[in-house]
Amino acid sequence: MKDILMYISDQHSWQRQGCAGDRLARTPNLDRLAAEGTIMQNAYTAYPLCVPARMSMMSGQQASRCRVTSNQAALDSNQVTFAHCLNARGYETVLCGRMHFVGPDQRHGFSRRIAGEQTPIFHNRPSRAFAKERGIHDRTPQGGPSSLSAIGGGNSPTLEYDRYVVRQALEYLEQDHQMPQFLCVGTYGPHHPFVAPRELYEYYYDKVTVPEESFAYPEHPAVEGRVLRDCDPQVVRAVRAAYYGMVEFEDRQIGLVYDKFQRYLERTGREGIFLYVSDHGEHGGYRGYYGKGTFYDPSAHIPMVFAGAGIEKGRQLLGAVSLMDVGPTLCEAVGACLPPDADGRSLWGQLTGGEDDLERMVVSEVGGDLIYSSTFYYGQMVKYGPYKYIHYHGYDEEDQLFDLENDPGESENVIGVHRELAEKMGRALSGACEPVDRIREEAQRLKRNMGILTKCDFDDPDERWHAPERARHLPEPMVKSRLAP
């Protein structure tokens, strides 16, 4: 059976890759992967937020169907994941780093973990002392007021954590393993805080562009006030310089793991599959937004590339695909059973020479959470060919249709020009996700339960990352007046 290595980063926007056409981003390892494998040029997250996206990927189901529409929600331990399917096939399923599982069940089909988690793994948020021990400070997004609390060049817990995870993965691949391997390497970058190695930050600072024209694009009323926004050009420039630097740093880590995996396969005489994917993107100052949480391409469009045994080399597939397709694809590749009731589809046929599916529609969701919001909101997106249709519950007159081929910045709503197309894409939402009333009920139930869950402490030191001293001190945050060089 083929060994599998999946490298999943956090918050990497598809646009920030050389193989995606970005001439500024230095991503030689991702470009090499694209040349040695098949790249999905229109891969989209199932939900532009960490935990729902990842649980949707693991289960193969839409976030509302697996009942995880909040970063505080836990996946049901009775839910079969593709890791369970691989384990049932005879694989040793190894988690190296983060998957952002919430709650006492930190496995969900993984037989072991060889590198701990950085982000909180239980419903109660860490105390100040606990946060300091694991390298999470008040100025970081986990404890600080915003993702803009620290911007610049230097070191950060994110960078240190990713170095640690990659070291553990490289050490594991130095060993010989009798069972077929599914090794999932989960890093935290290029997720904020926006701190890149200093030389990379300085390299990109004067080279990045500031998308000032996007600041004037109209905000959808459902999104307004829900996503961090700051249109100060100096802030945008600094964030983008740091983000580009973080992407390049992540590309180096990917190269280390990919090369070590190839040597492992050569040493053991096995065949293997390598997958790189990210859970969602990062706005990076587009429209003045930071983080994720919208259906605009910087937030929802993700990198996805497969390389290895049986996979065509140097091919670009343009049909829409979903993060939910990861599990069914890997399972079919090795003859494992598929997760029951999966919404995702296997891409294995396309990867091995089959026809590109240009007629497929993929669905993404956002909202359905009352933990971090006092008002309920819920939205859906459909990607079909060059078009993207966006609908928010309660805003029927504000539906959007973008033609990304002619308007990659998503600046002009063309729904009035393509009514029939919009209706066709809207019909794809029927039955794809849970009914809105059920999603609201689930959000209310979780909110009620959180009153008790947040008082419980089930911490397991073996499951989390213990930050070295050097990782416990972020650089001083660069306030706006200090952003200019």
Side-chain angles (χ1 to χ4, degrees), residues 26 75 100 116 185 344 349 381 427 454 472:
R26 298 188 297 188
L75 186 67
H100 218 327
V185 179
M381 179 206 84
R427 287 195 294 271
T454 54
R472 303 180 191 179

Side-chain angles (χ1 to χ4, degrees), residues 1-5 86 89-92 179-183 261 264-265 268-274 307-311 329-336 348 352:
M1 290 188 287
K2 303 177 183 73
D3 287 327
I4 304 170
L5 196 151
L86 292 174
R89 180 72 173 94
Y91 276 78
E92 187 172 19
M179 295 175 63
Q181 295 292 304
F182 169 55
L183 175 60
F261 184 54
Y264 174 83
L265 296 176
T268 59
R270 296 178 180 174
E271 292 185 321
I273 296 171
F274 187 95
I311 296 170
T329 301
L330 296 179
C331 287
E332 184 180 356
V334 299
W348 188 244
T352 53

Side-chain angles (χ1 to χ4, degrees), residues 149-466:
S149 299
I151 311 172
N155 199 11
S156 76
T158 296
L159 300 178
E160 282 293 324
Y161 179 74
D162 287 2
R163 293 184 183 106
Y164 152 76
V165 168
V166 168
R167 281 197 305 270
Q168 297 301 112
L170 298 181
E171 290 178 9
Y172 187 78
L173 292 170
E174 287 282 357
Q175 307 163 23
D176 291 336
H177 305 283
Q178 295 301 314
M179 295 175 63
Q181 295 292 304
F182 169 55
L183 175 60
C184 177
V185 179
T187 57
Y188 197 25
H191 190 290
H192 52 261
F194 296 111
V195 179
R198 186 167 299 278
E199 72 279 6
L200 296 181
Y201 176 77
E202 293 174 352
Y203 172 82
Y204 284 109
Y205 187 88
D206 293 322
K207 297 178 176 65
V208 297
T209 58
V210 177
E212 294 191 59
E213 72 283 352
S214 73
F215 300 166
Y217 295 165
E219 287 193 276
H220 193 290
V223 174
E224 188 173 357
R226 296 185 184 276
V227 181
L228 177 64
R229 196 166 194 236
D230 188 326
C231 295
D232 186 318
Q234 289 185 307
V235 174
V236 177
R237 177 173 295 279
V239 165
R240 289 168 76 83
Y243 187 68
Y244 267 94
M246 294 165 72
V247 167
E248 181 170 339
F249 171 84
E250 204 64 41
D251 182 82
R252 295 175 183 177
Q253 311 312 307
I254 295 165
L256 292 172
V257 174
Y258 180 66
D259 288 342
K260 182 67 76 171
F261 184 54
Q262 299 310 308
R263 290 196 289 272
Y264 174 83
L265 296 176
E266 292 170 3
R267 187 177 74 248
T268 59
R270 296 178 180 174
E271 292 185 321
I273 296 171
F274 187 95
L275 162 64
Y276 172 68
V277 71
S278 199
D279 54 358
H280 51 72
E282 159 64 53
H283 288 107
Y286 170 72
R287 295 176 179 252
Y289 294 154
Y290 304 90
K292 54 275 186 184
T294 78
F295 294 126
Y296 299 123
D297 252 32
S299 168
H301 195 172
I302 58 173
M304 183 186 291
V305 57
F306 294 84
I311 296 170
E312 289 206 331
K313 295 184 177 181
R315 190 180 185 194
Q316 296 185 6
L317 293 176
L318 301 179
V321 301
S322 171
L323 182 63
M324 294 182 292
D325 299 337
V326 165
T329 301
L330 296 179
C331 287
E332 184 180 356
V334 299
C337 61
L338 301 183
D341 304 317
D343 298 308
R345 302 182 189 176
S346 172
L347 307 174
W348 188 244
Q350 296 177 59
L351 291 170
T352 53
E355 186 177 352
D356 195 355
D357 186 358
L358 300 177
E359 291 300 310
R360 184 180 176 194
M361 296 186 186
V362 298
V363 175
S364 183
E365 304 172 271
V366 76
D369 174 25
L370 286 171
I371 303 299
Y372 299 106
S373 175
S374 58
T375 58
F376 178 85
Y377 90 111
Y378 173 71
Q380 298 166 307
M381 179 206 84
V382 180
K383 182 66 170 59
Y384 171 55
Y387 294 98
K388 181 190 292 182
Y389 170 78
I390 298 173
H391 168 75
Y392 286 93
H393 176 68
Y395 294 88
D396 293 357
E397 301 304 316
E398 303 290 342
D399 286 358
Q400 296 175 316
L401 182 71
F402 296 111
D403 178 356
L404 274 68
E405 183 174 352
N406 297 303
D407 178 26
E410 300 169 273
S411 63
E412 183 181 0
N413 184 4
V414 296
I415 196 167
V417 181
H418 302 287
R419 286 288 179 187
E420 290 186 5
L421 176 61
E423 290 173 3
K424 175 182 178 180
M425 296 175 73
R427 287 195 294 271
L429 296 175
S430 178
C433 309
E434 287 292 289
V436 174
D437 288 346
R438 193 172 301 171
I439 296 171
R440 182 189 288 108
E441 290 173 4
E442 182 67 21
Q444 292 169 339
R445 185 184 71 86
L446 179 60
K447 186 173 183 177
R448 291 193 300 270
N449 289 345
M450 289 301 293
I452 297 173
L453 293 173
T454 54
K455 297 176 182 178
C456 300
D457 185 359
F458 302 109
D459 178 43
D460 182 351
D462 292 335
E463 293 286 356
R464 56 184 170 87
W465 175 51
H466 298 271

Side-chain angles (χ1 to χ4, degrees), residues 59-61 65 78-82 85 337-343:
S59 66
Q61 295 181 342
R65 292 193 64 221
N78 290 323
Q79 173 69 56
V80 171
T81 70
F82 77 88
C85 296
C337 61
L338 301 183
D341 304 317
D343 298 308

